Amino acid sequence: LATIAACLQSSRMLLQKEAAFALSNLTALPRSQGVHLVRTRLPQLTSTLHALLLSPPTALEVRKEVGYTVANICCGGDGSEGDPVAITELASQGGLKGFLDLVGSADPEAAALGLQFLEMAARAVPETRHAVEQLGGIETIRNVQLTLPNDERVKQMALALINK
């Protein structure tokens, strides 16, 4: 894990992307094993992940892999309904903005990831809806219709989230 953390802090995009990919797989292990391992062995890693997710100069491919990792941590690692503590921690550090940036990207996979995360966060911690509104998130979600006009699946996800 220490090596993965070092690669995340590298200035080389490929190292960052591969480290984030490895972490996203680790944090997706069943019964929250990977999430627990990451949180207990390297608690400062969460701050590094949040910073990468929020950093516009970080390449979209890296932010997307980091997004998967953070989403896995926030859902408890096993696709559960969401960990309110992890989601609240992310929101308090401004992390919702990182997922809104993914929604606003022209990459359908990144937009879908952002939308799925925001939907889970709203379900697990209803107060995040207000935070998303304050960040201009409703407009960002509506704009998916314009940024991804040919992706019906992502457009339907955005519409469903707005209608909630």
Side-chain angles (χ1 to χ4, degrees), residues 35-163:
V35 171
H36 178 73
L37 183 65
V38 168
R39 286 190 149 175
T40 56
R41 294 280 173 100
L42 286 173
Q44 74 279 10
L45 192 56
T46 305
S47 296
T48 300
L49 291 167
H50 293 177
L52 284 170
L53 183 63
L54 289 166
S55 177
T58 303
L60 177 61
E61 291 301 313
V62 174
R63 286 188 293 130
K64 189 166 51 174
E65 291 301 333
V66 168
Y68 281 115
T69 302
V70 172
N72 287 341
I73 290 170
C74 288
C75 80
D78 56 6
S80 71
E81 293 299 309
D83 176 352
V85 173
I87 294 167
T88 302
E89 178 184 330
L90 174 74
S92 72
Q93 294 180 10
L96 294 175
K97 175 78 171 106
F99 283 99
L100 284 169
D101 289 345
L102 291 176
V103 169
S105 76
D107 180 314
E109 183 183 350
L113 168 62
L115 290 166
Q116 288 169 338
F117 177 84
L118 293 171
E119 193 274 330
M120 179 206 47
R123 232 180 322 107
V125 183
E127 299 81 31
T128 60
R129 292 177 184 167
H130 181 67
V132 167
E133 287 176 24
Q134 286 184 320
L135 292 167
I138 301 302
E139 193 64 30
T140 301
I141 295 168
R142 280 194 181 115
N143 286 339
V144 166
Q145 310 284 334
L146 302 172
T147 56
L148 298 167
N150 298 324
D151 195 313
E152 285 303 315
R153 179 182 71 94
V154 175
K155 285 171 40 177
Q156 289 303 316
M157 290 171 67
L159 187 60
L161 190 57
I162 286 177
N163 290 334

